[in-house]
Amino acid sequence: MSIPEEIDFEVDAEDLSEFKPNGRELGAPSLVVDDLYVTYRIFGGKRVAAGQGRPGVLKRVLNRSTVHMGGLTSVEAVRGISFIARHGESIGIVGVNGSGKSTLLRAIAGLIPPTEGSVYVSGEPSLLGVNAVLMGSLTGERNVMIGGLALGLSPEEVRAKFDDIVEFSGIGDSIYLPMNAYSSGMSARLRFAISAAAVPDVLMIDEALATGDAAFRRKSKDRIDAIRDEAGTVFLVSHSLATVESICARTLWIHQGKLVMDGPSTEVCAAYKAFVKKQDG
Ligand SMILES: Nc1ncnc2c1ncn2[C@@H]1O[C@H](COP(=O)(O)OP(=O)(O)O)[C@@H](O)[C@H]1O
Ligand SMILES: [Mg+2]
């Protein structure tokens, strides 16, 4: 599938692409990412997203897209990515560590401003919004409320969904413990359960499914299918290509901040697998 040179909102969805995953008819565009660039700036060892001033974690940066200028280092994490997602589409994102997958999702969620280019989203993107507000020192119960409110639910709606969310997450009475006490798998499952409760327009899952057991993955896949059927758009970042292929008909492969391939998951995952194999050996 190719990306149109010019993005024109007047165009009909069916003119944009002939690619129909699983023969499904897809809806109108839910998300347009247009020549997106995201550059992080790191001052004196502290990481700050360009144009935002949000301090991040210090990690060693040895990336080809890293530019050193005196005391200032720039990391061009996303470099000119364009694609269109439609209602009713599940899209996988694959790429080696540091290729820019999480940055792309954060920019789609509006958590990092683009350095250049634009992101147009219809409706509220979810999950990263939830991740940003959850607090480890509070109980799972409190975080369900906070996360639900962040997704635009009313307190009554959150209360009505509370039992379902806890049951889905499978964490039982641990819901009354602070989230700091959870294993990474438990908090990932609770985050997923909260995010999926609101039937968001755009659901983004960043490495959150890898931690669950087979039963949880099965439930998650059903929930993702339901959201997609309600004409939402789902993005899934996962190291498990089998998970990506089973959930997503379409996959984007990102490398060094650039979109190298966009098409049917079987083709993209096969090409990515071959690339990783070549790198390893
Ligand atoms: N908060 C940050 N500040 C500065 N650089 C960052 C920050 N987050 C990620 N990076 C850098 O941006 C690049 C892309 O990272 P990321 O989007 O996390 O990739 P992925 O999710 O594919 O592993 C990497 O070089 C990473 O070190
Ligand atoms: Mg990541």
Side-chain angles (χ1 to χ4, degrees):
M1 155 179 180
S2 67
I3 292 158
E5 295 278 44
E6 297 283 333
I7 289 163
D8 178 358
F9 279 110
E10 301 304 312
V11 118
D12 283 345
E14 49 272 26
D15 292 341
L16 291 170
S17 166
E18 294 303 313
F19 174 51
K20 287 181 191 143
N22 307 331
R24 294 164 55 99
E25 289 293 333
L26 294 170
S30 58
L31 171 78
V32 177
V33 173
D34 182 13
D35 203 19
L36 178 71
Y37 287 78
V38 177
T39 303
Y40 294 104
R41 296 200 197 294
I42 305 156
F43 299 97
K46 277 207 173 163
R47 288 181 162 199
V48 179
Q52 187 194 26
R54 189 167 74 92
V57 193
L58 172 66
K59 271 198 216 150
R60 186 180 294 270
V61 184
L62 287 171
N63 188 303
R64 228 181 281 168
S65 54
T66 306
V67 185
H68 297 273
M69 298 183 301
L72 176 71
T73 305
S74 299
V75 182
E76 294 172 335
V78 170
R79 303 191 280 168
I81 289 185
S82 301
F83 65 91
I84 294 170
R86 287 179 214 86
H87 290 283
E89 211 172 13
S90 312
I91 302 176
I93 304 180
V94 298
V96 297
N97 277 336
S99 53
K101 305 180 295 294
S102 297
T103 303
L104 175 63
L105 290 190
R106 277 184 230 135
I108 292 171
L111 297 174
I112 316 179
T115 313
E116 268 178 66
S118 10
V119 175
Y120 307 94
V121 195
S122 83
E124 272 299 308
S126 164
L127 184 66
L128 294 157
V130 165
N131 283 344
V133 297
L134 298 190
M135 295 175 70
S137 58
L138 300 179
T139 62
E141 184 187 24
R142 290 297 301 153
N143 275 303
V144 169
M145 178 57 76
I146 292 169
L149 296 177
L151 292 173
L153 298 176
S154 69
E156 292 70 35
E157 286 171 320
V158 181
R159 268 180 229 116
K161 287 170 186 274
F162 182 79
D163 290 347
D164 285 346
I165 293 172
V166 176
E167 205 207 306
F168 191 105
S169 71
I171 66 174
D173 285 346
S174 301
I175 194 74
Y176 303 109
L177 295 177
M179 278 189 77
N180 284 338
Y182 293 10
S183 68
S184 60
M186 286 163 72
S187 52
R189 296 204 308 268
L190 183 60
R191 282 201 305 270
F192 181 86
I194 298 171
S195 306
V199 191
D201 298 296
V202 179
L203 175 64
M204 290 178 284
I205 303 161
D206 193 349
E207 310 279 6
L209 292 186
T211 43
D213 58 10
F216 182 74
R217 281 203 300 274
R218 170 85 241 152
K219 276 196 292 186
S220 304
K221 184 183 184 311
D222 292 347
R223 189 73 197 110
I224 288 169
D225 287 347
I227 288 171
R228 202 189 51 193
D229 288 346
E230 289 175 62
T233 305
V234 178
F235 285 96
L236 174 67
V237 173
S238 177
H239 282 300
S240 160
L241 295 182
T243 306
V244 168
E245 282 185 62
S246 75
I247 293 181
C248 309
R250 173 184 174 191
T251 294
L252 313 178
W253 170 14
I254 293 171
H255 189 63
Q256 294 181 343
K258 292 184 175 162
L259 184 60
V260 293
M261 208 173 163
D262 173 358
S265 294
T266 42
E267 288 173 28
V268 176
C269 290
Y272 175 63
K273 240 179 273 178
F275 167 82
V276 170
K277 214 167 164 188
K278 213 167 104 195
Q279 294 251 306
D280 284 349

